[in-house]
Amino acid sequence: MTSDDGAEAIWTFSQAFTSSFQASCSELASRLKFANPDSVHSIAGEIQALNKRLTEATGRLPSYDQRQNELQLKALEKSLEELRSSTAGKTKFAFKRKVKIPAPASAETATPPAQTNALAMPTAPISSASRTISNHSNSYLSRSCLSGPSSSTDHIEVSIIRVSNSVLNLLTTTNESNLSASTVSLSALHIRDIQNSILILGSVDGSIMLHNLTNCVVVAGCHQFRMHNSTAVDAYLDITSNPIIESCDQVRFGPYPSELKQHLIIRDHTELPFLPQDFSHIRATPSPNWRALGEDELVRDWPLAETDYTVQLERALPGSKI
């Protein structure tokens, strides 16, 4: 490898790493704003994992990028400590309030904590611009599950959590019964803890962040795709950047299915139109954690209706076919 090739490789890695790292930091920062005491431990673990990633990348990043990433990480750690302190403070204050009930003045002093708790929760405008799909098993879920309060924006972020043995189909259909769900656009998706399921996500304007998927198929058009701690996942993508995986194995990539083109404006490809980046294999050799789907491995029969979806689910899942 020439010095020019080496410099280009470092620059390419730096760009991909910094983009993924900062996106992960931004996601955690958003979650910290509305986190409850039960989620502190989980977020702390993810911040620790980010710290490890940055440490392992030291020496392969330009000094400016290294410094900016360190600053973002410190800001996250500071926010986490503030959350821990505020949680402890609220617990102590609640105890004192219980002692001071009789005096009229104490009723007034009880107001600030109530306001503080209200600020710690998502306000109406924020919740109206987001949706959560969670705790589903053995189900067929359509775009109607995105229905919710009317919003001043037609773009929403969606969290998909704890889904198993199911099909989630977010493609827009002409006979969609819920107009509000049909017309909204997806600005970002946060997906976590999914098993034995097919996620047909359609078009996403921004990024898709995935954690802890097992034996799943994901179909999406998006700007960025980042997957962590996942096993046996087939990802069919139309994407404007290279997808990123970390701590994953048995991942297979393919282009967006031609059978679903009518639901999304995509480009025609004769081969894999992107180069996945594996941050758990930062070496010149090919990553053992992913490969491209072969022509005979591509799914052709997609579960676009509830009828017989369980049969199509069983056929499409990676399972032992990897």
Side-chain angles (χ1 to χ4, degrees):
M1 179 183 290
T2 67
S3 59
D4 288 343
D5 291 338
E8 182 178 353
I10 292 174
W11 184 86
T12 300
F13 169 79
S14 173
Q15 291 293 104
F17 179 90
T18 299
S19 175
S20 172
F21 187 87
Q22 292 181 352
S24 298
C25 287
S26 296
E27 185 207 15
L28 285 174
S30 297
R31 288 167 56 192
L32 277 167
K33 290 179 182 177
F34 311 115
N36 56 49
D38 295 335
S39 62
V40 170
H41 181 73
S42 173
I43 293 176
E46 292 183 50
I47 292 177
Q48 185 176 4
L50 279 179
N51 197 346
K52 181 182 178 182
R53 281 176 57 186
L54 186 57
T55 300
E56 291 175 347
T58 299
R60 294 176 61 88
L61 299 173
S63 57
Y64 176 81
D65 289 345
Q66 179 81 23
R67 179 59 178 161
Q68 293 302 308
N69 292 336
E70 289 174 353
L71 289 174
Q72 273 200 294
L73 191 59
K74 287 180 180 178
L76 280 179
E77 293 170 343
K78 181 180 178 182
S79 297
L80 179 63
E81 288 306 312
E82 289 174 351
L83 176 62
R84 284 171 168 163
S85 299
S86 64
T87 301
K90 288 174 185 176
T91 303
K92 294 178 182 178
F93 193 94
F95 177 78
K96 292 179 181 178
R97 281 179 57 203
K98 192 172 182 179
V99 176
K100 296 183 179 181
I101 290 176
S106 66
E108 296 177 3
T109 58
T111 302
Q115 293 173 343
T116 301
N117 288 339
L119 291 173
M121 298 298 292
T123 59
I126 294 174
S127 61
S128 65
S130 64
R131 302 286 187 271
T132 297
I133 303 169
S134 63
N135 301 315
H136 291 279
S137 181
N138 301 298
S139 302
Y140 187 94
L141 307 168
S142 71
R143 194 176 178 89
S144 61
C145 63
L146 296 179
S147 60
S150 60
S151 171
S152 59
T153 176
D154 58 356
H155 289 74
I156 61 172
E157 290 193 14
V158 179
S159 296
I160 304 169
I161 308 169
R162 293 184 296 278
V163 175
S164 63
N165 305 298
S166 299
V167 172
L168 173 62
N169 178 9
L170 296 185
L171 296 178
T172 302
T173 59
T174 55
N175 61 347
E176 183 65 63
S177 60
N178 190 297
L179 181 61
S180 64
S182 180
T183 56
V184 296
S185 297
L186 306 178
S187 59
L189 297 181
H190 308 282
I191 303 172
R192 178 182 297 274
D193 301 331
I194 314 294
Q195 293 85 37
N196 308 315
S197 297
I198 297 176
L199 308 179
I200 305 176
L201 305 174
S203 179
V204 180
D205 295 338
S207 62
I208 300 177
M209 182 78 74
L210 309 96
H211 299 268
N212 304 328
L213 274 66
T214 303
N215 194 33
C216 292
V217 176
V218 180
V219 182
C222 58
H223 178 60
Q224 292 181 320
F225 180 94
R226 296 177 295 275
M227 183 164 64
H228 304 268
N229 302 313
S230 297
T231 298
V233 177
D234 288 352
Y236 294 76
L237 304 177
D238 183 62
I239 187 170
T240 57
S241 60
N242 289 326
I244 294 170
I245 63 173
E246 184 175 17
S247 300
C248 297
D249 64 278
Q250 301 180 57
V251 179
R252 303 188 298 184
F253 287 99
Y256 195 93
S258 59
E259 294 80 10
L260 304 179
K261 281 185 180 180
Q262 65 270 29
H263 299 282
L264 183 65
I265 301 175
I266 64 171
R267 298 156 290 173
D268 289 320
H269 301 291
T270 57
E271 57 186 22
L272 202 63
F274 45 76
L275 180 62
Q277 306 290 310
D278 184 359
F279 283 179
S280 296
H281 187 83
I282 308 174
R283 300 177 180 86
T285 57
S287 168
N289 299 317
W290 73 270
R291 67 175 176 86
L293 281 159
E295 186 69 23
D296 60 339
E297 296 174 319
L298 299 173
V299 175
R300 304 295 185 187
D301 183 21
W302 294 96
L304 300 180
E306 188 170 358
T307 306
D308 296 329
Y309 81 89
T310 55
V311 175
Q312 293 169 307
L313 181 66
E314 184 177 355
R315 291 174 181 170
L317 292 178
S320 60
K321 294 182 289 186
I322 293 181

